[in-house]
Amino acid sequence: MADKDDKRPDHDDQGKGRARGVEIHDARAPSRRNFLKSVGATSLAAATAPAWARVGYVNHDEQEPQDKRADEGEAPAKGTQRITLNVNGQAHTLDVTPNMVLLDVLRHQLALTGTKKGCDIGQCGACTVHVNGVSINSCLSLAVMHDGDEVTTVEGLGQNGKLHPIQQAFLDHDAYQCGYCTPGQMMSAVAILNDAEVASDDAAVREAMSGNICRCGAYKNILSAIQTARKNV
Amino acid sequence: MRHFDYSRADSVDQAVATYAQSDAASFLAGGTNLLDMVKIDIMRPELMVDIHRLGLNNIETLDDGRLRVGALVTNTALARDATVKADYTVLSEALLSGASTQLRNKATTGGNMMQRVRCPYFRDGVSDCNKRDPGSGCSAIGGYNRSVHAVLGTSDQCIATYPSDMSVAMAAIGATVSVTGPDGSREIDFLDFHLLPGDKPWEEFALKDNELITHVTLDAPIQGAKSAYLKLRDRSSYQFALASSAVIVSLDGNTIRDARIAMGGVATKPWRAKQAEDALKGQPATEQTFARAAQIAMQDAKGYKHNAFKIPLGQQAIIRNLTTLTA
């Protein structure tokens, strides 16, 4: 955690005029993201078969069970443990090795790639998710420790096809540049807005958000987005 | 991350027994420091004993006025506890000055005490470092030693600062650590829990083999006292201290009745400055008194090539904290 770069002030005029597109994720549509996922999964399975590929598979249909062995009633593979994760309101039975972190299980086994891997050692906040309503770094938490827990990822923020107020506010305030830290920023922001113990002034919000690093320096617009969303949450 | 076996414990005794079966086991609570170090391959446990569901999550006031804190109380929960905020303000402030929201939500009281040093030569996995590779030497002494290196409690074998803010506040408050091992339970004075580096920097805690921290019990609060944690650092949030002070002070009129001072960011363990406290007691609450106490607190300090600035900075951390508290 030591010796990270200073947070730089944002430049007000950056990003103006940039196309403001929002991708409403439809798991069945042949989107660019799903195309890349399926190509990646196929070539990986054919080539090196990493550890995660042996115990899970990428499933594009979020209505189906996510783990083949559990689905087919088989015992967990050697070296794995069977857990239940409740992610965005849906229960998943998964077989995981002890060294799999929650972040990797979300991304690789559940194909919920909205949660990002940044530093992977708890310094940047890109992997922030809610577990039982509390924000944590999913890179620093073993999946096996979360058996039975309720997990919310950025994919679970919007409801019934509508953006969550924080998502709308990030869009309205242009609260990102490259966008890689954005899911983590939004998960922290929602947790803060739901937390009566975090004061509503700018200084308190900045302090509470300090675990989310934005290398593009969009902090000013992120703060504006959070303070605007406050009125709608 | 390397592979390891995993076992979830349902009781303290089971956790200790399981841990004792392996030569390379780690207790896993919040995991925010442990998993970080496993990922960078500094710690290599073969067995993780998951203790996070042992139920040591309570904070309770004892009949004698002390506050008993379960080892698994999160940093967020401890900082927000009504009794802690009112009677141990310095502890609440210290906790909230450390790490980030997400890390505090997960990190536990016992785990925070067991934090390893943030010296880059310890973490890089290749430099000579007596904590990581006993007997290899200390790269920090002749290397870059500005931010996470100490001026108090150092040795020729290690100069890394102890990183926890929480523990600095606990050192000022006074506390007792309860541990359970294969032979039963015992108590350790908080000030004896963290070891000076001395000739064996790799020995960091006063735990015997297979012992697990179960509680930390804070001394009863000093009646009528005020307390605060002042942390000076390169960045105003999410950064380790260059120098910090945990101060508790009570006054009779303008005369200092009682005082406690502990320091962080400048020392190799949570650093209680008892001689400085003695220099405050019975004296008028003036800047002159504070400056003398601050001078005494740092009188044995030894600066290295890049961190000698911490000696006056540490003094300022004491003076400013006392000035604000007694204003």
Side-chain angles (χ1 to χ4, degrees), chain A residues 1-6 81 97-99 101 120-125 128 134-137 139-142 144-147 149 188 195 197-198 207-213, chain B residues 1-6 8 28-32 35-36 39-40 48 50 52-53 80 85 96 99-106 118 123 147-148 234-240:
Chain A
M1 263 172 280
D3 295 327
K4 280 191 302 294
D5 288 349
D6 286 338
Q81 303 201 22
T97 59
N99 67 342
V101 292
D120 207 25
I121 49 173
Q123 298 186 353
C124 77
T128 303
V134 173
S135 63
I136 67 161
N137 302 105
C139 73
L140 284 186
S141 206
L142 299 182
V144 70
M145 296 177 79
H146 292 291
D147 187 16
D149 282 349
S188 279
D195 188 340
E197 295 223 22
V198 178
E207 167 62 37
M209 289 292 293
S210 72
N212 291 80
I213 310 297
Chain B
M1 185 159 44
R2 65 174 48 235
H3 281 271
F4 43 76
D5 292 327
Y6 169 90
R8 196 169 92 196
L28 175 61
T32 51
L35 295 177
D36 169 24
K39 284 187 170 190
I40 64 173
M48 290 282 193
D50 178 359
H52 93 285
R53 297 192 195 200
R80 291 179 169 190
K85 284 202 284 191
L96 293 175
S100 67
T101 304
Q102 297 97 309
L103 292 169
R104 292 192 297 268
N105 285 344
K106 194 106 191 314
R118 259 62 182 192
R123 288 177 63 89
S147 57
V148 288
D234 285 327
R235 187 174 54 196
S236 63
S237 180
Y238 199 14
Q239 181 67 286
F240 290 101

Coordinates of all heavy atoms in Angstrom, one line a residue, chain A residues 1-6 81 97-99 101 120-125 128 134-137 139-142 144-147 149 188 195 197-198 207-213, chain B residues 1-6 8 28-32 35-36 39-40 48 50 52-53 80 85 96 99-106 118 123 147-148 234-240:
Chain A
M1 N 0.8 -1.2 0.0 CA 0.0 0.0 0.0 C 0.9 1.3 0.0 O 0.4 2.3 -0.2 CB -0.9 0.0 1.2 CG -2.3 -0.5 0.9 SD -3.2 -0.6 2.4 CE -2.6 -2.2 3.1
A2 N 2.1 1.1 0.3 CA 3.0 2.3 0.4 C 3.4 2.8 -0.9 O 3.3 2.0 -1.9 CB 4.2 2.0 1.2
D3 N 3.7 4.0 -1.0 CA 4.4 4.6 -2.1 C 3.6 4.5 -3.4 O 4.1 4.3 -4.5 CB 5.7 3.9 -2.3 CG 6.7 4.2 -1.2 OD1 6.6 5.3 -0.6 OD2 7.4 3.3 -0.8
K4 N 2.3 4.7 -3.4 CA 1.6 4.8 -4.6 C 1.7 6.2 -5.1 O 1.9 7.1 -4.4 CB 0.1 4.4 -4.4 CG -0.1 2.9 -4.4 CD -1.5 2.5 -4.4 CE -2.3 3.1 -3.3 NZ -2.0 2.6 -2.0
D5 N 1.4 6.4 -6.4 CA 1.5 7.7 -7.0 C 0.4 8.6 -6.3 O -0.7 8.1 -5.9 CB 1.2 7.6 -8.5 CG 2.4 7.1 -9.2 OD1 3.5 6.9 -8.6 OD2 2.3 6.8 -10.4
D6 N 0.7 9.8 -6.3 CA -0.3 10.8 -5.8 C -1.6 10.7 -6.7 O -1.5 10.5 -7.9 CB 0.2 12.2 -5.8 CG 1.2 12.4 -4.7 OD1 1.1 11.6 -3.7 OD2 2.0 13.3 -4.8
Q81 N -13.3 -27.7 -3.3 CA -14.4 -27.8 -2.4 C -15.6 -27.1 -3.0 O -15.5 -26.2 -3.8 CB -14.0 -27.0 -1.1 CG -12.7 -27.5 -0.5 CD -12.6 -27.1 1.0 OE1 -13.6 -26.8 1.7 NE2 -11.4 -27.1 1.5
T97 N -10.8 -24.4 -5.9 CA -9.6 -24.8 -5.1 C -9.4 -23.8 -4.0 O -9.9 -22.6 -4.1 CB -8.3 -24.8 -6.0 OG1 -8.2 -23.5 -6.6 CG2 -8.5 -25.9 -7.1
P98 N -8.7 -24.2 -2.9 CA -8.5 -23.2 -1.8 C -7.8 -21.9 -2.2 O -8.1 -20.9 -1.5 CB -7.6 -24.0 -0.8 CG -7.8 -25.4 -1.1 CD -8.1 -25.5 -2.6
N99 N -7.0 -21.9 -3.2 CA -6.3 -20.7 -3.5 C -7.0 -19.8 -4.5 O -6.4 -18.8 -5.0 CB -4.8 -21.0 -4.0 CG -4.8 -21.7 -5.3 OD1 -5.9 -22.3 -5.7 ND2 -3.7 -21.7 -6.0
V101 N -9.3 -16.9 -5.4 CA -9.9 -15.7 -4.8 C -11.2 -15.4 -5.4 O -11.5 -15.8 -6.5 CB -9.0 -14.5 -4.9 CG1 -7.7 -14.7 -4.0 CG2 -8.6 -14.1 -6.3
D120 N -4.3 -6.7 -8.0 CA -4.5 -8.0 -7.5 C -3.8 -8.2 -6.1 O -3.7 -9.3 -5.6 CB -3.8 -9.1 -8.5 CG -4.5 -10.4 -8.4 OD1 -5.7 -10.5 -7.9 OD2 -3.8 -11.4 -8.7
I121 N -3.4 -7.1 -5.4 CA -3.0 -7.2 -4.1 C -3.6 -6.2 -3.1 O -2.9 -5.7 -2.2 CB -1.4 -7.2 -4.0 CG1 -0.8 -6.0 -4.7 CG2 -0.8 -8.5 -4.4 CD1 0.7 -5.9 -4.5
G122 N -4.8 -5.8 -3.4 CA -5.5 -5.0 -2.5 C -5.1 -3.5 -2.4 O -5.4 -2.8 -1.4
Q123 N -4.5 -3.0 -3.4 CA -4.1 -1.6 -3.4 C -4.9 -0.7 -4.2 O -4.9 0.5 -4.0 CB -2.6 -1.5 -3.9 CG -1.6 -2.3 -3.0 CD -0.2 -2.0 -3.3 OE1 0.1 -1.4 -4.3 NE2 0.7 -2.6 -2.5
C124 N -5.6 -1.2 -5.3 CA -6.2 -0.3 -6.2 C -7.7 -0.2 -6.2 O -8.3 0.8 -6.6 CB -5.8 -0.7 -7.6 SG -6.7 -2.1 -8.3
G125 N -8.4 -1.2 -5.7 CA -9.9 -1.1 -5.5 C -10.7 -1.5 -6.8 O -11.9 -1.5 -6.7
T128 N -13.5 -4.2 -6.3 CA -14.4 -4.0 -5.2 C -15.8 -4.6 -5.5 O -16.4 -4.3 -6.5 CB -14.6 -2.5 -4.8 OG1 -13.3 -2.0 -4.5 CG2 -15.5 -2.3 -3.6
V134 N -21.4 -5.3 2.4 CA -20.2 -4.5 2.8 C -19.2 -4.6 1.7 O -18.9 -5.7 1.1 CB -19.6 -5.1 4.1 CG1 -18.3 -4.5 4.4 CG2 -20.6 -5.0 5.3
S135 N -18.5 -3.5 1.4 CA -17.5 -3.5 0.3 C -16.2 -4.1 0.7 O -15.7 -3.8 1.8 CB -17.3 -2.0 -0.2 OG -16.7 -1.2 0.8
I136 N -15.7 -4.9 -0.1 CA -14.4 -5.5 0.2 C -13.6 -5.6 -1.2 O -14.1 -5.5 -2.2 CB -14.5 -7.0 0.8 CG1 -15.0 -8.0 -0.2 CG2 -15.2 -6.9 2.1 CD1 -14.7 -9.4 0.1
N137 N -12.3 -5.9 -1.0 CA -11.4 -6.2 -2.2 C -11.6 -7.7 -2.5 O -11.1 -8.5 -1.7 CB -10.0 -5.8 -1.9 CG -9.8 -4.4 -1.5 OD1 -9.5 -4.1 -0.4 ND2 -9.8 -3.5 -2.5
C139 N -10.0 -9.4 -4.6 CA -8.8 -10.0 -4.9 C -8.1 -10.6 -3.6 O -7.2 -11.4 -3.7 CB -7.8 -9.1 -5.6 SG -7.1 -7.8 -4.5
L140 N -8.5 -10.1 -2.5 CA -7.8 -10.5 -1.2 C -8.8 -11.3 -0.4 O -8.7 -11.2 0.9 CB -7.3 -9.3 -0.4 CG -6.1 -8.6 -0.9 CD1 -5.7 -7.5 0.1 CD2 -4.9 -9.5 -1.1
S141 N -9.6 -12.1 -1.0 CA -10.5 -12.9 -0.2 C -10.7 -14.3 -0.9 O -11.0 -14.3 -2.1 CB -11.9 -12.2 -0.1 OG -12.6 -12.6 1.0
L142 N -10.4 -15.4 -0.2 CA -10.6 -16.7 -0.8 C -12.0 -17.0 -1.1 O -12.9 -16.8 -0.2 CB -10.0 -17.7 0.1 CG -8.5 -17.6 0.4 CD1 -8.1 -18.8 1.3 CD2 -7.7 -17.6 -0.8
V144 N -13.5 -19.8 -1.1 CA -14.0 -20.8 -0.2 C -14.4 -20.2 1.1 O -15.3 -20.8 1.8 CB -12.8 -21.9 0.0 CG1 -11.7 -21.3 0.8 CG2 -13.4 -23.1 0.6
M145 N -13.9 -19.0 1.5 CA -14.4 -18.4 2.7 C -15.8 -17.8 2.6 O -16.4 -17.4 3.6 CB -13.4 -17.2 3.1 CG -12.0 -17.7 3.5 SD -10.9 -16.3 3.8 CE -11.4 -15.9 5.5
H146 N -16.3 -17.7 1.4 CA -17.6 -17.0 1.1 C -18.7 -18.0 0.9 O -19.8 -17.6 0.4 CB -17.4 -16.0 0.0 CG -16.5 -14.9 0.3 ND1 -16.9 -13.9 1.2 CD2 -15.3 -14.6 -0.1 CE1 -15.9 -13.1 1.3 NE2 -14.9 -13.4 0.5
D147 N -18.5 -19.2 1.3 CA -19.6 -20.2 1.2 C -20.9 -19.6 1.8 O -20.9 -19.4 3.0 CB -19.2 -21.5 1.8 CG -20.2 -22.6 1.6 OD1 -21.0 -22.5 0.7 OD2 -20.1 -23.6 2.3
D149 N -22.4 -16.8 1.3 CA -22.4 -15.3 1.3 C -23.2 -14.7 0.2 O -23.4 -15.3 -0.9 CB -21.0 -14.7 1.3 CG -20.3 -14.8 2.7 OD1 -21.0 -15.2 3.7 OD2 -19.1 -14.5 2.7
S188 N -17.9 1.0 -4.6 CA -17.5 1.7 -3.4 C -18.5 2.8 -3.1 O -18.9 3.1 -2.0 CB -16.1 2.3 -3.4 OG -15.2 1.3 -3.1
D195 N -24.3 4.0 3.5 CA -23.7 3.9 4.9 C -24.0 5.2 5.6 O -23.4 6.2 5.3 CB -22.2 3.6 4.7 CG -21.6 3.3 6.0 OD1 -22.1 3.7 7.1 OD2 -20.5 2.8 6.0
E197 N -23.0 6.1 8.4 CA -21.9 6.6 9.2 C -20.9 7.4 8.4 O -19.9 7.9 8.9 CB -21.2 5.4 9.9 CG -22.1 4.8 10.9 CD -21.5 4.5 12.2 OE1 -20.4 5.1 12.5 OE2 -22.0 3.6 12.9
V198 N -21.0 7.4 7.0 CA -20.1 8.2 6.2 C -20.8 9.6 6.0 O -21.9 9.6 5.4 CB -19.8 7.5 4.9 CG1 -18.9 8.4 4.0 CG2 -19.1 6.2 5.1
E207 N -12.4 10.8 1.4 CA -11.7 9.9 2.3 C -12.2 8.4 2.2 O -11.4 7.5 2.1 CB -11.9 10.4 3.8 CG -11.4 9.4 4.9 CD -10.0 9.0 4.8 OE1 -9.1 9.9 4.5 OE2 -9.6 7.9 5.1
A208 N -13.5 8.3 2.2 CA -14.1 6.9 2.1 C -13.8 6.3 0.8 O -13.9 5.0 0.7 CB -15.6 7.0 2.4
M209 N -13.6 7.1 -0.3 CA -13.3 6.5 -1.6 C -11.8 6.3 -1.9 O -11.5 5.9 -3.0 CB -13.9 7.5 -2.7 CG -15.4 7.5 -2.8 SD -16.1 6.0 -3.4 CE -15.5 6.0 -5.1
S210 N -11.0 6.6 -0.9 CA -9.6 6.6 -1.2 C -9.0 5.2 -1.5 O -7.8 5.1 -2.0 CB -8.8 7.2 0.0 OG -8.8 6.4 1.1
G211 N -9.7 4.2 -1.3 CA -9.3 2.8 -1.6 C -9.5 2.5 -3.1 O -9.2 1.4 -3.5
N212 N -10.0 3.4 -3.9 CA -10.2 3.2 -5.3 C -9.3 4.2 -6.1 O -9.6 5.4 -6.1 CB -11.7 3.4 -5.7 CG -12.5 2.3 -5.1 OD1 -12.9 2.3 -3.9 ND2 -12.8 1.3 -5.9
I213 N -8.3 3.6 -6.7 CA -7.4 4.5 -7.5 C -7.8 4.6 -8.9 O -8.3 3.6 -9.5 CB -6.0 3.8 -7.5 CG1 -5.6 3.4 -6.0 CG2 -4.9 4.7 -8.1 CD1 -5.4 4.6 -5.1
Chain B
M1 N -1.4 -17.4 -7.3 CA -1.1 -17.7 -5.9 C -0.8 -19.2 -5.7 O -1.5 -20.0 -6.3 CB -2.3 -17.3 -5.1 CG -2.0 -17.4 -3.6 SD -3.2 -16.4 -2.5 CE -4.8 -16.6 -3.3
R2 N 0.3 -19.5 -5.0 CA 0.7 -20.8 -4.8 C -0.5 -21.6 -4.1 O -1.4 -21.1 -3.5 CB 1.9 -20.9 -3.9 CG 1.8 -20.4 -2.5 CD 3.0 -20.7 -1.7 NE 4.2 -20.3 -2.4 CZ 5.3 -21.1 -2.6 NH1 5.2 -22.3 -2.2 NH2 6.4 -20.6 -3.2
H3 N -0.4 -23.0 -4.2 CA -1.4 -23.8 -3.7 C -1.2 -24.0 -2.2 O -0.1 -23.9 -1.7 CB -1.4 -25.2 -4.4 CG -2.1 -25.1 -5.7 ND1 -3.4 -25.4 -5.8 CD2 -1.6 -24.9 -6.9 CE1 -3.8 -25.2 -7.1 NE2 -2.7 -24.9 -7.8
F4 N -2.3 -24.2 -1.5 CA -2.2 -24.6 0.0 C -3.5 -25.4 0.3 O -4.5 -25.3 -0.4 CB -2.1 -23.3 0.8 CG -3.0 -22.2 0.4 CD1 -4.4 -22.3 0.7 CD2 -2.5 -21.1 -0.3 CE1 -5.2 -21.2 0.3 CE2 -3.4 -20.1 -0.6 CZ -4.7 -20.1 -0.3
D5 N -3.4 -26.1 1.4 CA -4.6 -26.8 1.9 C -5.4 -25.8 2.7 O -4.9 -24.8 3.2 CB -4.2 -28.0 2.7 CG -3.6 -29.1 1.9 OD1 -3.9 -29.2 0.7 OD2 -2.7 -29.8 2.4
Y6 N -6.6 -26.1 2.9 CA -7.6 -25.2 3.6 C -8.4 -26.0 4.6 O -8.9 -27.1 4.2 CB -8.4 -24.5 2.6 CG -9.6 -23.7 3.1 CD1 -9.5 -22.4 3.5 CD2 -10.9 -24.4 3.3 CE1 -10.6 -21.7 4.0 CE2 -11.9 -23.7 3.9 CZ -11.8 -22.3 4.2 OH -12.8 -21.6 4.7
R8 N -11.5 -25.1 7.6 CA -12.3 -24.1 8.3 C -12.5 -24.6 9.7 O -13.0 -25.7 9.9 CB -13.6 -23.8 7.6 CG -14.2 -22.6 8.2 CD -15.4 -22.1 7.3 NE -16.6 -22.7 7.8 CZ -17.7 -22.7 7.1 NH1 -17.8 -22.3 5.9 NH2 -18.8 -23.2 7.7
L28 N -6.1 -17.8 9.1 CA -6.6 -16.9 8.1 C -7.9 -16.3 8.7 O -8.9 -17.0 9.0 CB -7.0 -17.7 6.8 CG -7.7 -16.9 5.7 CD1 -6.8 -15.8 5.2 CD2 -8.0 -17.9 4.6
A29 N -7.8 -14.9 8.9 CA -9.0 -14.2 9.4 C -9.6 -13.3 8.3 O -10.3 -13.8 7.5 CB -8.6 -13.5 10.7
G30 N -9.1 -12.1 8.3 CA -9.5 -11.2 7.2 C -8.8 -11.5 5.9 O -9.3 -11.4 4.8
G31 N -7.5 -11.8 6.1 CA -6.6 -12.2 4.9 C -6.1 -11.0 4.2 O -5.3 -11.2 3.2
T32 N -6.4 -9.8 4.6 CA -5.9 -8.6 3.8 C -4.4 -8.5 3.7 O -3.9 -8.0 2.7 CB -6.6 -7.3 4.3 OG1 -6.4 -7.2 5.7 CG2 -8.1 -7.3 4.0
L35 N -3.0 -12.8 2.5 CA -3.1 -13.2 1.1 C -2.3 -12.3 0.2 O -1.7 -12.7 -0.8 CB -4.6 -13.2 0.7 CG -5.4 -14.2 1.4 CD1 -6.9 -14.1 1.0 CD2 -4.9 -15.6 1.2
D36 N -2.1 -11.0 0.6 CA -1.2 -10.1 -0.1 C 0.2 -10.7 -0.1 O 0.8 -10.8 -1.2 CB -1.3 -8.8 0.6 CG -0.2 -7.8 0.2 OD1 0.3 -7.9 -1.0 OD2 0.2 -6.9 1.0
K39 N 0.5 -13.9 -2.2 CA 0.5 -13.6 -3.7 C 1.8 -13.1 -4.1 O 2.3 -13.5 -5.2 CB -0.6 -12.5 -4.0 CG -2.0 -13.1 -4.0 CD -3.0 -12.1 -4.5 CE -4.3 -12.7 -4.7 NZ -5.3 -11.8 -5.4
I40 N 2.5 -12.3 -3.3 CA 3.9 -11.9 -3.7 C 4.9 -12.9 -3.3 O 6.1 -12.6 -3.4 CB 4.2 -10.4 -3.2 CG1 4.2 -10.4 -1.7 CG2 3.2 -9.4 -3.8 CD1 4.7 -9.0 -1.2
M48 N -3.9 -23.3 5.3 CA -4.6 -22.1 5.8 C -5.7 -22.6 6.8 O -6.6 -23.4 6.4 CB -5.3 -21.4 4.7 CG -4.4 -20.6 3.8 SD -3.8 -19.1 4.5 CE -3.1 -18.4 3.1
D50 N -8.8 -21.5 8.5 CA -9.8 -20.4 8.4 C -10.5 -20.2 9.8 O -11.2 -21.1 10.2 CB -10.8 -20.7 7.3 CG -11.9 -19.6 7.2 OD1 -11.8 -18.6 7.9 OD2 -12.7 -19.8 6.3
H52 N -12.3 -17.4 10.5 CA -13.2 -16.2 10.4 C -14.6 -16.4 10.9 O -15.3 -15.5 11.1 CB -13.1 -15.5 9.0 CG -14.1 -16.0 8.1 ND1 -14.1 -17.2 7.4 CD2 -15.3 -15.3 7.6 CE1 -15.1 -17.3 6.6 NE2 -15.8 -16.2 6.7
R53 N -14.9 -17.7 11.1 CA -16.3 -18.0 11.6 C -16.2 -18.5 13.1 O -17.1 -19.2 13.5 CB -17.0 -18.9 10.7 CG -17.2 -18.3 9.3 CD -18.2 -19.1 8.4 NE -18.0 -18.6 7.1 CZ -18.9 -18.8 6.1 NH1 -20.0 -19.4 6.3 NH2 -18.6 -18.3 4.9
R80 N -16.1 2.0 14.9 CA -17.5 2.6 15.0 C -18.2 2.2 16.2 O -19.3 2.7 16.5 CB -18.3 2.1 13.8 CG -17.8 2.6 12.5 CD -18.7 2.1 11.3 NE -18.4 2.9 10.1 CZ -19.1 2.8 9.0 NH1 -20.2 1.9 9.0 NH2 -18.8 3.5 7.9
K85 N -15.7 4.9 20.4 CA -15.7 6.3 19.9 C -15.7 7.3 21.1 O -15.0 8.3 21.1 CB -16.9 6.6 19.0 CG -16.7 6.0 17.6 CD -17.6 6.7 16.6 CE -19.1 6.2 16.7 NZ -19.9 6.7 15.6
L96 N -9.4 4.5 11.7 CA -9.9 5.1 10.5 C -8.9 5.8 9.7 O -9.1 6.1 8.5 CB -11.0 6.1 10.9 CG -12.3 5.5 11.5 CD1 -13.3 6.6 12.0 CD2 -13.0 4.6 10.5
A99 N -5.3 2.2 6.1 CA -5.8 1.5 5.0 C -6.9 2.2 4.3 O -7.0 3.4 4.3 CB -6.2 0.1 5.4
S100 N -7.8 1.4 3.7 CA -9.0 2.0 3.0 C -10.3 1.4 3.5 O -10.2 0.4 4.3 CB -8.9 1.6 1.5 OG -9.0 0.1 1.4
T101 N -11.4 1.9 3.1 CA -12.7 1.4 3.5 C -12.8 -0.1 3.3 O -13.2 -0.8 4.3 CB -13.8 2.1 2.7 OG1 -13.7 3.5 2.9 CG2 -15.2 1.6 3.2
Q102 N -12.4 -0.6 2.1 CA -12.6 -2.0 1.8 C -11.7 -2.9 2.7 O -12.1 -3.9 3.2 CB -12.2 -2.3 0.4 CG -13.1 -1.6 -0.7 CD -12.5 -0.3 -1.2 OE1 -12.1 0.6 -0.4 NE2 -12.4 -0.1 -2.5
L103 N -10.5 -2.4 2.9 CA -9.6 -3.2 3.7 C -10.0 -3.2 5.2 O -10.0 -4.2 5.9 CB -8.1 -2.7 3.6 CG -7.5 -2.8 2.2 CD1 -6.2 -2.0 2.1 CD2 -7.2 -4.3 2.0
R104 N -10.5 -2.1 5.7 CA -10.9 -2.0 7.1 C -12.2 -2.9 7.3 O -12.4 -3.4 8.4 CB -11.2 -0.6 7.5 CG -10.0 0.3 7.6 CD -10.4 1.7 8.3 NE -11.3 2.4 7.6 CZ -11.0 3.4 6.7 NH1 -9.8 3.6 6.4 NH2 -12.0 4.1 6.0
N105 N -13.0 -3.0 6.3 CA -14.2 -3.8 6.4 C -13.8 -5.3 6.6 O -14.6 -6.1 7.1 CB -15.1 -3.7 5.1 CG -15.8 -2.4 5.1 OD1 -15.9 -1.7 6.1 ND2 -16.3 -2.0 3.9
K106 N -12.7 -5.7 6.1 CA -12.3 -7.1 6.2 C -11.3 -7.4 7.2 O -11.3 -8.5 7.8 CB -11.7 -7.5 4.8 CG -11.6 -8.9 4.5 CD -12.7 -9.4 3.6 CE -12.8 -10.9 3.5 NZ -11.5 -11.6 3.3
R118 N 6.3 -3.1 5.9 CA 6.1 -2.7 4.5 C 7.4 -2.3 3.9 O 7.4 -1.7 2.8 CB 5.1 -1.5 4.5 CG 3.7 -1.9 4.1 CD 3.1 -2.9 5.0 NE 1.7 -3.2 4.6 CZ 0.8 -3.9 5.3 NH1 1.1 -4.3 6.5 NH2 -0.3 -4.2 4.8
R123 N 9.6 -6.9 0.9 CA 8.5 -7.3 0.0 C 9.0 -7.7 -1.4 O 8.3 -8.3 -2.2 CB 7.4 -6.2 -0.2 CG 6.6 -6.0 1.1 CD 5.6 -4.9 1.0 NE 4.6 -5.1 -0.1 CZ 3.5 -5.7 0.0 NH1 3.1 -6.2 1.2 NH2 2.7 -5.8 -1.0
S147 N 10.8 6.3 4.0 CA 9.4 6.4 4.4 C 8.9 5.3 5.4 O 8.3 5.6 6.4 CB 8.4 6.3 3.2 OG 8.6 5.2 2.5
V148 N 9.3 4.1 5.2 CA 8.8 3.0 6.1 C 10.0 2.4 6.9 O 10.1 1.2 7.2 CB 8.1 1.9 5.4 CG1 6.7 2.4 4.9 CG2 8.9 1.4 4.2
D234 N 2.8 11.2 3.6 CA 3.0 11.9 2.4 C 1.7 12.2 1.7 O 1.7 13.1 0.8 CB 3.8 10.9 1.4 CG 5.3 10.9 1.8 OD1 5.8 11.9 2.3 OD2 5.9 9.8 1.7
R235 N 0.7 11.5 1.9 CA -0.6 11.7 1.2 C -1.7 11.6 2.3 O -1.5 11.0 3.3 CB -0.8 10.5 0.3 CG -2.0 10.6 -0.6 CD -2.0 9.5 -1.6 NE -1.9 8.2 -1.0 CZ -1.6 7.1 -1.6 NH1 -1.3 7.0 -2.9 NH2 -1.5 5.9 -0.9
S236 N -2.8 12.4 2.2 CA -3.7 12.6 3.3 C -4.6 11.4 3.6 O -5.3 11.4 4.5 CB -4.5 13.8 3.0 OG -5.3 13.6 1.9
S237 N -4.6 10.4 2.7 CA -5.4 9.2 3.0 C -4.7 8.0 2.4 O -3.9 8.1 1.4 CB -6.8 9.3 2.4 OG -7.5 8.2 2.6
Y238 N -5.0 6.8 3.0 CA -4.5 5.5 2.4 C -3.0 5.5 2.2 O -2.5 5.2 1.1 CB -5.2 5.3 1.0 CG -5.3 3.9 0.5 CD1 -5.0 2.8 1.3 CD2 -5.6 3.7 -0.8 CE1 -5.0 1.5 0.8 CE2 -5.7 2.4 -1.3 CZ -5.4 1.3 -0.5 OH -5.4 0.1 -1.0
Q239 N -2.3 5.8 3.3 CA -0.9 5.9 3.3 C -0.3 5.6 4.7 O -1.0 6.0 5.6 CB -0.4 7.3 2.8 CG 1.1 7.5 2.7 CD 1.7 6.6 1.6 OE1 1.8 5.4 1.7 NE2 2.0 7.2 0.5
F240 N 0.8 4.9 4.7 CA 1.4 4.7 6.0 C 2.0 6.0 6.6 O 2.3 6.9 5.9 CB 2.4 3.6 5.9 CG 1.8 2.2 5.6 CD1 1.8 1.7 4.4 CD2 1.2 1.5 6.6 CE1 1.2 0.5 4.1 CE2 0.6 0.3 6.4 CZ 0.6 -0.2 5.1

